[in-house]
Amino acid sequence: QEEEKGCPNIQNQIDKMKIKINHTNKTRLELSQQYVDQISKCIKITKERLLLAMTITQEKILMEQVQAQFRTLSENLKSLEEAYHMVSERCNNMKKQAKILLKRAQQITGETMEHLKEAFNNLPNTLEEIEALIHEQQAKLDCQYETNPLVVLDYEKNKKEINTLDTEIKKTSELLADMLLKKDSLLQSWLVPLEQLILRINEQYSLFFKQMGCVGQVSLEKDPDEDYRKYGVQIQVKFRAENKLKTLTSTFQSGGERSVSTMLYLISLQELTKCPFRLVDEINQGMDPNNERRVFELVVETVCRPNTSQYFLITPKLLPNLRYTERMTILLVMNGHWMLRHDEYDVKEMIKRKRNQKTIQ
């Protein structure tokens, strides 16, 4: 009987526990749902934050562009104001000079301004008409004298010569126009491809310099007088942010900067110009370690691509821990007074000794 009495109590406790468990599960489910909702809100807020950050960045870029335009416009306005002041001052000086000349003219002629206006009103208004009037009066004056027969003969002779020269000038002008057309056609046939090639080189060159943290560009230098012998490739570089682009010369940049600029230019030509091979000798000698490592990585990345020219790099030394690829071949030239003879050189024995040293260590 006691066991029978105890069973209902246990059953009641079990039922209560089930109710508590169900309540707990519901609570956990609600909390889980709230957690999911909070996570969704966090994700939404994070997305909004990223969008706001991108918007702020774009606005900053736009603001910098507007500020740059404002500075440019301010400089232009300043230049225009200076030009205006100069022109205004010049105009005032000319007005003063005109008044002085007017007084002098009145003193010389002894006439008032009204008389001068009447005299000028009777004359033509344009310079061409005034010159025509002068020629007309000169012709009338010449007709008052007796005509010399020899003058008439000379006139007829000169007239024929003038007609002959006019014909020759016309033919020469036509020939010149034809030659100019041919010249323009020939110019476009090589200048346009050349400019396109320079543009492609500039894209590669600028990209390589950007990867180096610097600025560089390549352009075609033209002669204003169209002397094609003076055409050339102009390289401009900037290695520091505070400097401006400067033409690559043997005096302005340092030896290391010239080496970097030259090497990047050669790399830019790698995929654009076809040749059996390229050979560079000790180009890395003037570079600092950072630039030498970056340039070497660019060389490896560029010249080890398929269908590119073979590339030889000759150097007495290289930095440690450089990146090499399977498409590279390294040749070590060893020479000196204390070197072994070639018939005494045993590579297997050297490898064996090296392994033994590592084992001992």
Side-chain angles (χ1 to χ4, degrees), residues 92-179:
N92 293 331
N93 293 333
M94 293 181 69
K95 286 181 179 179
K96 292 178 182 179
Q97 187 177 3
K99 290 180 180 179
I100 295 172
L101 293 175
L102 178 60
K103 290 181 180 179
R104 289 180 59 188
Q106 290 176 350
Q107 292 174 358
I108 294 172
T109 58
E111 297 180 353
T112 61
M113 191 67 182
E114 296 298 329
H115 290 86
L116 292 175
K117 287 183 178 180
E118 292 178 1
F120 278 106
N121 288 333
N122 295 327
L123 296 175
N125 294 325
T126 63
L127 181 61
E128 290 79 6
E129 292 176 347
I130 293 174
E131 290 180 349
L133 181 61
I134 292 173
H135 289 304
E136 181 182 352
Q137 297 299 324
Q138 185 66 38
K140 291 180 180 179
L141 181 63
D142 293 338
C143 291
Q144 294 179 0
Y145 296 95
E146 184 178 357
T147 305
N148 189 348
L150 295 177
V151 174
V152 177
L153 293 176
D154 290 339
Y155 169 76
E156 296 294 337
K157 180 181 178 181
N158 292 332
K159 185 177 180 180
K160 291 181 180 179
E161 291 180 355
I162 290 172
N163 292 332
T164 303
L165 291 174
D166 287 339
T167 304
E168 292 180 357
I169 290 173
K170 184 178 180 180
K171 292 181 180 179
T172 305
S173 299
E174 293 176 354
L175 180 61
L176 177 61
D178 185 53
M179 293 179 66

Side-chain angles (χ1 to χ4, degrees), residues 51-64:
L51 290 174
L52 287 174
M54 293 174 64
T55 304
I56 291 172
T57 303
Q58 292 176 353
E59 293 297 330
K60 286 183 178 179
I61 294 173
L62 181 61
M63 183 179 69
E64 291 176 356

Side-chain angles (χ1 to χ4, degrees), residues 76-95:
N76 293 337
L77 177 61
K78 185 177 180 181
S79 301
L80 291 174
E81 288 178 349
E82 292 177 355
Y84 170 76
H85 290 309
M86 292 176 61
V87 172
S88 178
E89 184 178 357
R90 185 179 177 185
C91 180
N92 293 331
N93 293 333
M94 293 181 69
K95 286 181 179 179

